[in-house]
Amino acid sequence: MAAMAAALRGPLARFRSRTRVWTRGTRGAANAVGAGQPQNFDLLVIGGGSGGLACAKEAAQLGRKVAVADYVEPSPRGTRWGLGGTCVNVGCIPKKLMHQAALLGGMIKDAHHYGWEVAQPIQHSWKKMAEAVQNHVKSLNWGHRVQLQDRKVKYFNIKANFVNKHTVQGVDKGGKVTLLSADHIVIATGGRPRYPTQIKGAVEYGITSDDIFWLKESPGKTLVVGASYVALECAGFLTGIGLDTTVMMRSIPLRGFDQQMSSLVTEHMESHGTRFLKGCVPSLIKKLPTGQLQVTWEDHASGKEDTGTFDTVLWAIGRVPETRNLNLEKAGVNVNPENQKVVVDAQEATSVPHIFAIGDVAEGRPELTPTAIKAGKLLAQRLFGKSSALMDYSSVPTTVFTPLEYGCVGLSEEEAVALHGQEHVEVYHAYYKPLEFTVPDRDASQCYIKMVCLREPPQLVLGLHFLGPNAGEVTQGFALGIKCGASYAQVMQTVGIHPTCSEEVVKLHISKRSGLDPTVTGC
Amino acid sequence: MSSPPGRRARLSSPGTSHQPPDAREELRRRLKDLIEGNRVMIFSKSYCPHSTRVKELFSSLGVDYNILELDQVDDGASVQEVLTEISNQKTVPNIFVNKVHVGGCDRTFQAHRSGLLQKLLNEDSAHDYDLIVIGGGSGGLSCAKEAANLGKKVMVLDFVVPSPQGSSWGLGGTCVNVGCIPKKLMHQAALLGQALQDSRKFGWEYSQQVKHNWEAMTEAIQNHIGSLNWSYRLTLREKGVTYVNAYGEFVEPHKIKATNKKGQETFYTGSKFVIATGERPQYLGIQGDKEYCITSDDLFSLPYCPGRTLVVGASYVGLECAGFLAGLGLDVTVIVRSVLLRGFDQEMAEKVGSYLEQQGIKFQRKFTPVSIQQMEKGSPGILKVVAKSTEGPETVEGVYNTVLLAIGRESCTRKIGLEKIGVKINEKNGKIPVNDVEQTNVPHVYAIGDILEGKPELTPVAIQAGKLLARRLFGGSLEKCDYVNVPTTVFTPLEYGCCGLSEEKAIEVHKKENLEVYHTLFWPLEWTVAGRDNNTCYAKIICNKFDNERVVGFHLLGPNAGEITQGFAAAMKCGLTKKLLNDTIGIHPTCGEVFTTLEITKSSGLDVTQKGC
């Protein structure tokens, strides 16, 4: 209870007061249901993130009357943001910019080897970076609002929940209730970071990716808990800008990704200063009188308990879909009770035919911005008669923006073997040294590519995995190749662009099966 | 060792019938010499129809052979006896290929049908080498190494004639020494300069005083090149390829003269030859050019900072050099006779040019230098350049520290004895015409790389061509080098990557009304915080409307264009269409993803500029 009292003076106080406001609002809403007449729309989108906005804009483009209801519930730490959803505010955009800040740190070091004379000391100002990143994000928020306005999409900054199959009520910051009804409703509320609520102190003292990009001051010495891509990306850029950073992981890194690649990713991070506590699980977070956080954890390997002191603890242990406060049961929309995601079919339709779900909130979909955007657009086109094309969720490329980027598309080696059998899979692989690494003599031990193919000629490409600089840029084009049904032979017939890293992909010639050495040779 | 088809062999000692045992041993030795010294040895009788058929077969294969007509030598009977002992075959024709006894007429034809004959022929030993490659650049080395992998005896002759300024370098050719490698590294140095500026916006703090040290950069780059030179030599040695640092010149169809630095001449014979001598920068042919100007042959190892520089020519070499020199903080002017990046998409070329202008490079268009005078010696000195308008009598003068010529390259084909063996070249540009298997008009002489007529002058193309050529010559492969849809990237400060047709060429080939061009300007995420312009980077694809909107041209101006273009080039190999682009999910946030969301067509006339966000 003492902790609670302390918390009330801290950030949680803000959180509590907001909750109260919200509660009052809901009560008000209950009173209002009978009163006003709902505003009518052809399409109502709940959630103004990448998927929702794309769907709304496309529908408006097709001449429909569209509304978007968006509301950002502040994080337990009190962080909130504008229109645009996770990607723009607390995801892809700020993380790639902070990743870039970290890369620039590496470039400053390289520059010396390329003849640039930069005087020491070289320091990094979190404040300056964060402000620049936040300003950019705010300009994007603004841009999204303008776009909605331009396309005559009605935007409501309200927290929405279902009243019935066609009606949604929303409460704004001041507690005012609005009723909206629509022929078609799209749920695109996304997800939010998970807190390990069972760990004492986790919610009070920990932050998540919802907060890190909006911190005004440097997080200082940071413990990142989890080994998801969010965890590794954050730990990567924090290390890169010079912070003492530790990753605590329970089991494997980047679950669901190719495991050989994943361990190369962490190996690279380790060799560049990120500490890893493997097989460890936190059990308690305590605030010390100094203001620092003391974390207690259990080391599963030794069975022993250990403690450490950090300025910041960042939870990156997964995300929870935002479905709990939607009153989905009032509309009859089914969720998967295991993970609370909305169950959808190939048309993105839920258990209620005129209610749809796209993006991170939908069951079984890749949690990626471009898939949500495309799915939203195609959904609007189907709903309003422009096309009948379904979203194709196969061979979706993605990139993990760790300090050494990891781009991939198609199957991991494990998946390919599980699907086709070891004897039918041929893996071509190579280590390589980016030309730009030579002059500053950067370590290229983890620059590695593998292409997973069927063994039978013409050796259809099943998956491509690229670890190295600019992996995102490299992977994009090859993703198309895989979509086109490229074979190993066709990729090999492609002439390289010299000197690039991506040309290494079209030069892959050593199969794992051959047992030949895939490491870099002189030329 | 050369011999026109059907050369007559002569047994040097006359009168060998009824020989004593010694003489018979002598005859056996001489016959063995004939068998071992000739790639194809036919023992025949001039009137024998089977013998004639065999000779015709070899002629039709274009293979040199050597004949001993038993009926036309004095000791023909003894020869036939000894041959029987050697080969266990009494009759003629009696054929040996590369020391191996093939048999008579029927067996030879059978061997031809089964492919055995070709195999035997490939195991040539009549010459010092199975393959002699002239030129140790990307193409030559790749061909030599692959041939050695296939078990052949291979020699590489490589010799760098010093530039007029005295620059020379090690093994590896243009790409490694004075091309792709050093230019990309200097490009990187310039990009890092930009990164230093960006970094402050991303929160990095350090002294405002940042200087660039040319000598430190050049030394680092030259060290890397030195290590590459070394590793190339090592690889050749590991693969058992003989490397000779000497200038190669044909003296006979199968014989080459190698002259080393000291002027010592050595002669080597080879069954097959690959010419891979590449190109060297051209000079203007005006007063003072060879004395005072440098070229890309000199720039990358220049021991001093070039200072205020005039780049002559707007080839990709010219613009790349201008770009990184400006990026390193130098005052750069480019003088251009006509268009930028001739042969590339001109809309893209102009965009590349305007970005260079944004970077502070001055362009002097429609002018060409007429004289270069040295005002002051030094490192660098001071040069006065007089240039004349291409459209009128106007002349302008400029004063520079360095004048870099980048007006084109000429093939190194005129001083390698090609005329002696009858290999045809295009007299205008010195390029060598070849057929689709890289064969010149002289069947045993092949050519690859930059000296080919009408083929892209790119390292990876030469490497691919060289490797495939070796596999066809010695590995029984039929795969030809595909010169279509070769991607490339111009490493100007803002990189320009492309694959397939330029818009002009596409219109010429497919007609404007059959094309749809999709395009957009875009703002890389990394540029936003850095505060760089939001309407500079540009993506364009050209589609054939009547072929399923197949992508026939891909063009990208933006950071990392090289890395991005590669994968799309692979996709074009697999028949990329606009629909496939639409169906592909982008990787967010990257520049490459812009191609998955192209919506605006040029024909619509809609605005492609980016608004605030």
Side-chain angles (χ1 to χ4, degrees), chain B residues 273-288:
Chain B
F273 290 85
V274 170
I275 308 169
T277 46
E279 297 181 315
R280 297 291 290 271
Q282 267 170 359
Y283 280 80
L284 285 162
I286 60 169
Q287 186 207 334

Side-chain angles (χ1 to χ4, degrees), chain A residues 68-125:
Chain A
V68 170
D70 185 58
Y71 186 88
V72 182
E73 183 71 33
S75 75
R77 183 50 93 90
T79 310
R80 52 188 309 156
W81 49 86
L83 183 63
T86 302
C87 166
V88 170
N89 294 286
V90 289
C92 319
I93 300 296
K95 77 108 182 281
K96 180 108 193 267
L97 287 170
M98 293 201 177
H99 168 62
Q100 175 71 2
L103 291 183
L104 286 166
M107 290 184 221
I108 295 170
K109 284 186 198 138
D110 281 3
H112 166 71
H113 297 271
Y114 282 90
W116 292 99
E117 291 167 355
V118 182
Q120 295 290 339
I122 297 162
Q123 284 168 334
H124 187 264
S125 156

Side-chain angles (χ1 to χ4, degrees), chain B residues 296-348:
Chain B
S296 56
D297 277 0
D298 310 297
L299 179 64
F300 304 111
S301 57
L302 204 63
Y304 54 85
C305 178
R308 190 173 143 88
T309 303
L310 176 70
V311 176
V312 182
S315 61
Y316 80 88
V317 178
L319 296 190
E320 286 177 345
C321 292
F324 68 69
L325 291 175
L328 299 176
L330 302 184
D331 180 336
V332 180
T333 305
V334 181
I335 186 164
V336 192
R337 204 182 47 193
S338 58
V339 301
L340 309 182
L341 297 176
R342 184 182 302 283
F344 287 91
D345 187 286
Q346 282 303 298
E347 183 189 21
M348 301 305 291

